[in-house]
Amino acid sequence: MVETTDVIFAVDSIPAIFAITGDPFLVFTSNVFAILGLRSLYFALAGMVTQFRYLKAALALVLLVVGVKMLLAEALKLILGKHFNLYLLIAVLAILAVGVAGSLIADRRDLHRSGR
């Protein structure tokens, strides 16, 4: 299933990449790296979701932020200025950091409570 999703993603990305560049080498290599990277990232996230209890909620929130960004890109550009992508990247990283830190704090608190 993951491999099928990777191939669909790669085929879907080709027109978007051609909108940015006409260089076939860049199109090909970016799709190859996307397929390899997504597969590795999927298995890394699958392992991390079991280790960090709030990571699944953080990832869901990241997907929500990305979806809102896609729907309201022009409005966000007007509100946040030309560097709005940087602000959204910082927001995504902060969401992930809070999810991981919250999981670590909750695990430490549970370990401390059970140790008493």
Side-chain angles (χ1 to χ4, degrees), residues 8-52:
I8 291 170
F9 172 76
V11 171
D12 182 51
S13 298
I14 291 172
I17 295 169
F18 270 121
I20 296 171
T21 181
D23 186 5
F25 177 74
L26 286 176
V27 172
F28 176 74
T29 55
S30 65
N31 278 316
V32 168
F33 286 123
I35 289 172
L36 294 173
L38 282 178
R39 184 173 300 133
S40 301
L41 184 63
Y42 171 78
F43 290 112
L45 283 175
M48 291 174 68
V49 164
T50 59
Q51 187 175 4
F52 300 109

Side-chain angles (χ1 to χ4, degrees), residues 4-112:
T4 304
T5 306
D6 284 345
V7 171
I8 291 170
F9 172 76
V11 171
D12 182 51
S13 298
I14 291 172
I17 295 169
F18 270 121
I20 296 171
T21 181
D23 186 5
F25 177 74
L26 286 176
V27 172
F28 176 74
T29 55
S30 65
N31 278 316
V32 168
F33 286 123
I35 289 172
L36 294 173
L38 282 178
R39 184 173 300 133
S40 301
L41 184 63
Y42 171 78
F43 290 112
L45 283 175
M48 291 174 68
V49 164
T50 59
Q51 187 175 4
F52 300 109
R53 67 173 85 173
Y54 298 126
L55 186 59
K56 192 179 283 189
L59 289 172
L61 192 56
V62 165
L63 287 176
L64 180 70
V65 167
V66 169
V68 167
K69 186 252 184 193
M70 290 172 64
L71 291 172
L72 304 174
E74 292 301 319
L76 288 172
K77 191 180 289 186
L78 290 174
I79 294 169
L80 299 175
K82 66 179 183 176
H83 299 295
F84 80 103
N85 282 324
L86 176 64
Y87 301 140
L88 292 173
L89 177 63
I90 291 169
V92 165
L93 292 175
I95 291 168
L96 292 174
V98 167
V100 170
S103 299
L104 292 173
I105 290 169
D107 288 345
R108 185 176 295 171
R109 184 186 63 222
D110 291 347
L111 183 65
H112 185 69

